[in-house]
Amino acid sequence: MAHSEATGVVIDVSGVDVVDSFLGRVIAEIAANARLLAARTVLCGMGPAVAITLVELGLTLPGVATALDVDRAFELLRQDVPAAGPGEVAGRT
């Protein structure tokens, strides 16, 4: 059995122009599996078209924080900030 000190997962979608239901499901499964391993997930680099499509698909990503870029995603993981709820952005007060 492998052991890791990793406590978070960053999913960078900055190179994604178009998202479909398959990709949305893959992102949701990665986040769910990370939660099972007690790791937090941050989705970053999401452009407006991708965000709109995810909403239109009705995809909810419970416990997944969002960040503008990879640097901010890692900042969120370094902080002891709880994951955002639906419709919230983690780390914002």
Side-chain angles (χ1 to χ4, degrees):
M1 183 162 108
H3 178 74
S4 173
E5 297 295 324
T7 59
V9 176
V10 173
I11 303 172
D12 182 8
V13 294
S14 60
V16 176
D17 293 326
V18 178
V19 68
D20 59 7
S21 60
F22 176 76
L23 181 56
R25 189 173 67 242
V26 168
I27 292 170
E29 288 176 4
I30 291 170
N33 288 326
R35 255 191 329 277
L36 288 174
L37 297 171
R40 294 178 14 219
T41 302
V42 180
L43 183 64
C44 69
M46 188 171 20
V50 171
I52 290 168
T53 303
L54 291 177
V55 169
E56 288 175 347
L57 290 172
L59 183 67
T60 59
L61 299 171
V64 175
T66 57
L68 293 176
D69 56 34
V70 173
D71 291 333
R72 291 184 183 170
F74 281 112
E75 285 176 19
L76 279 177
L77 289 178
R78 281 191 285 273
Q79 297 171 359
D80 190 24
V81 175
E88 298 175 348
V89 177
R92 285 202 183 158
T93 54

